[in-house]
């Protein structure tokens, strides 16, 4: 008898490992079992204890307003219109990031974006569309440090009265290298550089977009110190981390809008685990792995396994910036940041209990939770509770 029990235990452990590894036959059995259990959901849930969650409508409303204000700051700073009026700025989501290849992937309307279209965020030029895929609905962006990103004409001014220093910036191994400088005048500390108006040369890239912060090499100074040496190779340092960005502006043809697939669903109360849920819809309803799940303005999680008639959701927040709602000044101020301290604005620190929002271009803003413990390395997110009795909406990221 003991040997039989050990055998069953070993079999269960093997099946668990195969499930975690994504072994298709085991996943199929799980999906079949969840479908069978779904037929008894209404009966079995009657015997389960009530877990209704009280929701604060004011908190979700503040999250919606925070995301709307964030989008206004993104779109208001960048409208990459062609000089002849053939293009316009369109906000689109970042759906994946590849730091090792210096690339972002955007979801765009089919036929709206051309290869070479500029991409920016809050007035900062990030790069250019390098290639299109998946029926022209996925645009891969070569960031400015990418060798495939085209040269960009830029300039800086050492002072308001000084003549601008013109140059070209080229990407190489993730760095932005400056070449062809029109002057040897060195930059001032924390000098910013931006795109130059070269429309007369046939380049319709809008002027005034931030390229980065000018960085020079150093040389020995009398007394053993180091000073900036403008005669060494000059590079540009990004002013923001492009891999934290979740929404960008891209040059697109007028008349195109981004459509989003949405599916209504219900949470299973009989098939769940800590940090995981199951919904009663799957691929036959259009659900895909990676879709977001939202409940009444509160983010639930991400679809990690999409079966035919049910799907598994894990409590994972979207990649990119979080929007901390800072009310310390009496009115809500939206602070886009990351949980780690490196992604905080200068001279700012979050406080425990402040609301944290996210957003979706079609759905709008939603509540992620609130700031928990704040330490020297960053802050911890306390997730909002989910009500298993209430319906959810599944949206394409």
């Amino acid at each position: 008898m003991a040997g039989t029990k050990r055998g069953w235990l070993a079999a269960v452990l093997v099946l668990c490992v195969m499930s975690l590894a994504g072994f298709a036959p085991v996943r199929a059995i799980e999906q079949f079992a969840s479908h069978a259990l779904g037929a008894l959901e209404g009966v079995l849930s009657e015997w389960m204890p009530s877990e209704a969650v009280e929701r604060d409508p004011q908190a979700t409303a503040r999250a919606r307003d925070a995301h709307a204000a964030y989008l206004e700051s993104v779109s208001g700073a960048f409208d990459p219109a062609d000089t002849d009026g053939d293009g316009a700025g369109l906000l689109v989501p970042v759906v994946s990031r590849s730091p090792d290849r210096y690339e972002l992937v955007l979801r765009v309307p089919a036929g709206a974006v051309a290869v070479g279209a500029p991409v920016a965020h809050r007035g900062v030029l990030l790069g250019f569309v390098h290639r299109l895929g998946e029926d022209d609905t996925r645009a891969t962006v070569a960031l400015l440090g990418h060798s495939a990103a085209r040269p960009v004409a830029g300039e800086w001014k050492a002072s308001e009265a000084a003549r601008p220093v013109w140059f070209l910036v080229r990407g190489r191994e993730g760095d932005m290298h400056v070449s062809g400088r029109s002057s040897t005048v060195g930059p001032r500390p924390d000098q910013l550089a931006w795109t130059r108006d070269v429309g007369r040369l046939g380049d319709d890239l809008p002027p005034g977009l931030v390229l980065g912060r000018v960085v020079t090499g150093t040389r020995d100074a009398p007394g053993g110190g180091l000073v900036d040496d403008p005669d060494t190779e000059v590079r540009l340092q990004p002013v923001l981390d492009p891999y934290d960005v979740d929404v960008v502006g891209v040059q697109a043809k007028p008349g195109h809008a981004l459509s989003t697939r949405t599916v209504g669903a219900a949470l299973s109360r009989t098939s769940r685990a800590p940090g995981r849920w199951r919904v009663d819809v799957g691929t036959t309803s259009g659900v895909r792995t990676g879709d977001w799940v939202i409940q009444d303005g509160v983010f639930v999680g991400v679809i990690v396994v999409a079966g035919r008639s049910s799907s598994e959701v894990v409590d994972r927040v979207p990649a990119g910036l979080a929007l901390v709602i800072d009310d310390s000044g009496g009115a809500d101020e939206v602070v886009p940041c990351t949980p780690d301290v490196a992604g905080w604005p200068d001279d700012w620190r979050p406080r425990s209990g402040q609301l944290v929002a996210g957003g979706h271009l079609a759905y709008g803003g939603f509540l992620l939770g609130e700031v928990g413990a704040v330490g020297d390395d960053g802050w911890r997110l306390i997730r909002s509770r989910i009500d298993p009795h209430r319906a959810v909406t599944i949206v394409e990221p």
Side-chain angles (χ1 to χ4, degrees):
M1 181 66 70
T4 303
K5 289 183 178 179
R6 284 195 296 270
W8 278 106
L9 179 60
V12 170
L13 289 175
V14 170
L15 289 172
C16 288
V17 171
M18 295 172 70
S19 174
L20 292 173
F23 190 59
V26 175
R27 286 295 195 184
I29 294 172
E30 290 177 343
Q31 293 293 337
F32 175 78
S34 66
H35 180 66
L37 190 61
L40 300 174
E41 176 78 19
V43 176
L44 295 176
S45 62
E46 293 294 329
W47 298 88
M48 301 183 68
S50 176
E51 302 178 41
V53 174
E54 292 293 331
R55 182 118 328 134
D56 181 4
Q58 184 179 7
T60 53
R62 291 172 66 191
R64 287 194 300 271
D65 292 343
H67 184 249
Y70 169 68
L71 289 186
E72 184 177 358
S73 70
V74 173
S75 60
F78 177 51
D79 182 15
D82 286 348
T83 53
D84 56 4
D86 290 338
L90 178 68
L91 288 182
V92 296
V94 178
V95 295
S96 68
R97 303 156 177 83
S98 300
D100 56 328
R101 297 197 298 268
Y102 318 115
E103 292 178 345
L104 302 176
V105 178
L106 317 177
R107 185 166 69 84
V108 298
V113 174
V115 171
V119 176
H121 178 84
R122 306 183 83 177
V124 178
L125 182 65
L126 300 180
F128 301 89
V129 173
H130 178 46
R131 62 180 179 272
L132 298 170
E134 198 174 321
D135 299 328
D136 289 350
T137 63
R138 293 295 185 271
T140 299
V141 178
L143 299 173
L144 290 182
H146 197 304
S147 58
R150 71 173 177 84
V152 178
E155 65 180 11
W156 78 69
K157 294 180 68 173
S159 68
E160 290 299 325
R163 295 182 60 182
V165 177
W166 294 346
F167 60 89
L168 287 178
V169 60
R170 304 173 186 270
R172 188 171 71 245
E173 298 180 351
D175 287 329
M176 294 181 282
H177 295 266
V178 169
S179 64
R181 291 164 56 187
S182 63
S183 170
T184 58
V185 175
R188 63 177 185 266
D190 292 326
Q191 173 74 65
L192 291 179
W194 49 89
T195 56
R196 179 163 58 99
D197 186 357
V198 286
R200 291 174 299 177
L201 303 178
D203 190 341
D204 58 6
L205 182 67
L209 297 175
V210 175
L211 290 170
R213 185 170 286 109
V214 183
V215 178
T216 63
T218 58
R219 58 179 173 82
D220 292 333
L226 293 175
V227 295
D228 289 340
D229 184 3
D231 293 330
T232 61
E233 184 179 23
V234 178
R235 295 180 295 108
L236 297 183
Q237 185 180 67
V239 296
L240 56 80
D241 188 342
Y243 307 112
D244 287 335
V245 170
D246 54 356
V247 177
V248 298
V250 61
Q251 189 180 61
K253 300 174 184 177
H256 286 79
L258 194 67
S259 61
T260 299
R261 169 176 42 84
T262 62
V263 180
L267 296 171
S268 171
R269 297 180 59 199
T270 58
S271 177
R272 56 172 296 194
R276 290 179 178 268
W277 298 87
R278 188 169 291 278
V279 291
D280 63 348
V281 291
T283 55
T284 55
S285 301
V287 176
R288 298 180 184 177
T289 299
D291 285 352
W292 293 359
V293 183
I294 306 170
Q295 182 187 75
D296 296 335
V298 174
F299 191 80
V300 178
V302 179
I303 299 285
V304 291
V305 179
R308 285 183 56 82
S309 57
S310 70
S311 302
E312 187 178 354
V313 185
V314 68
D315 181 5
R316 178 193 304 158
V317 299
L321 295 173
L323 307 177
V324 175
I325 303 176
D326 189 343
D327 56 357
S328 57
D332 285 349
E333 178 186 358
V334 182
V335 182
C337 65
T338 59
D340 58 286
V341 68
W344 297 359
D346 294 337
D347 302 323
W348 177 83
R349 185 179 179 87
R351 292 185 295 105
S352 296
Q354 290 177 329
L355 296 180
V356 182
H360 186 278
L361 282 173
Y363 181 91
F366 46 71
L367 190 65
L368 292 175
E370 64 180 44
V371 176
V374 180
D376 293 336
D377 57 345
W379 52 269
R380 184 173 62 87
L381 176 66
I382 300 176
R383 294 283 285 114
S384 298
R385 293 182 62 195
I386 304 303
D387 190 335
H389 300 88
R390 304 183 67 84
V392 296
T393 301
I394 301 174
V395 298
E396 181 182 10

